Amino acid sequence: MKKIASFTVNHLVLLPGLYISRKDFVNDSTITTYDLRVTRPNEEQVMDTGSIHTLEHLCATFLINDLEWMDKIIYFGPMGCRTGFYLILAGEYEPLEILPLIKKMIEFVIDFEGDIPGATPKDCGNYSDMNLEGAKYYAKKYYNEVIITKEERRFKYE
């Protein structure tokens, strides 16, 4: 049986980073899926559900409101393994090309105060499972380990 693309990545050496997970083609258009890996698989604790849920709400809200990129955003959501997120964009961009967008998104989370967008019973199926402090912790971790360092090994799968 054929493996899905993410199962072909060596998770034993994978670091937090920003990777191209896959490229798909729909008619003449390229759809690119990015792996925003926040924790090191099988080495670090996975993100708790409240933190990952809050990151999902904040990051998705930021992305659909970014004037430069909003028309290219297809999807942002968590990985089932709770070690990161998938970002799907219309178009074909290298990780370093979208790094300014990711930097702004992460800074938005770090600086966020107030009510989490969409965290109401009417808007969300699990609105009470939110953890803003945890989301900020993981955003700062990603900022320091990926965005600030810009180590080449954090932008291309081994």
Side-chain angles (χ1 to χ4, degrees):
M1 186 177 295
K2 185 177 176 181
K3 287 185 176 184
I4 63 169
S6 64
F7 293 168
T8 65
V9 174
N10 185 351
H11 287 74
L12 298 174
V13 298
L14 190 59
L15 297 173
L18 175 61
Y19 307 97
I20 292 176
S21 176
R22 61 185 288 162
K23 292 181 186 177
D24 295 291
F25 305 94
V26 179
N27 299 324
D28 325 353
S29 301
T30 303
I31 306 296
T32 307
T33 302
Y34 298 89
D35 171 341
L36 282 75
R37 194 65 61 148
V38 178
T39 64
R40 188 165 181 189
N42 305 307
E43 293 286 328
E44 293 181 272
Q45 185 73 19
V46 298
M47 290 180 278
D48 64 281
T49 59
S51 296
I52 204 168
H53 192 196
T54 303
L55 280 164
E56 175 192 19
H57 278 239
L58 292 174
C59 292
T61 298
F62 171 84
L63 290 167
I64 65 163
N65 285 284
D66 184 86
L67 295 177
E68 181 182 351
W69 289 90
M70 62 195 309
D71 293 336
K72 298 171 184 74
I73 305 299
I74 294 173
Y75 173 78
F76 180 86
M79 297 174 176
C81 62
R82 295 187 292 145
T83 62
F85 296 87
Y86 287 117
L87 169 62
I88 304 175
L89 296 177
E92 196 169 351
Y93 308 94
E94 290 300 313
L96 291 176
E97 290 179 280
I98 67 164
L99 191 60
L101 170 67
I102 302 304
K103 180 178 186 280
K104 287 190 307 184
M105 178 183 76
I106 294 298
E107 289 171 343
F108 173 77
V109 173
I110 291 169
D111 295 337
F112 188 84
E113 297 295 332
D115 295 333
I116 307 300
T120 69
K122 180 180 176 246
D123 298 336
C124 179
N126 194 9
Y127 76 97
S128 64
D129 188 19
M130 296 285 174
N131 181 350
L132 182 56
E133 290 311 310
K136 288 181 177 219
Y137 166 82
Y138 287 112
K140 289 174 189 172
K141 177 186 183 316
Y142 192 83
Y143 190 86
N144 291 329
E145 293 180 4
V146 179
I147 294 170
I148 295 298
T149 64
K150 291 187 186 172
E151 295 173 322
E152 188 176 327
R153 65 189 180 144
R154 294 183 186 269
F155 298 97
K156 187 170 183 173
Y157 287 142
E158 288 187 28

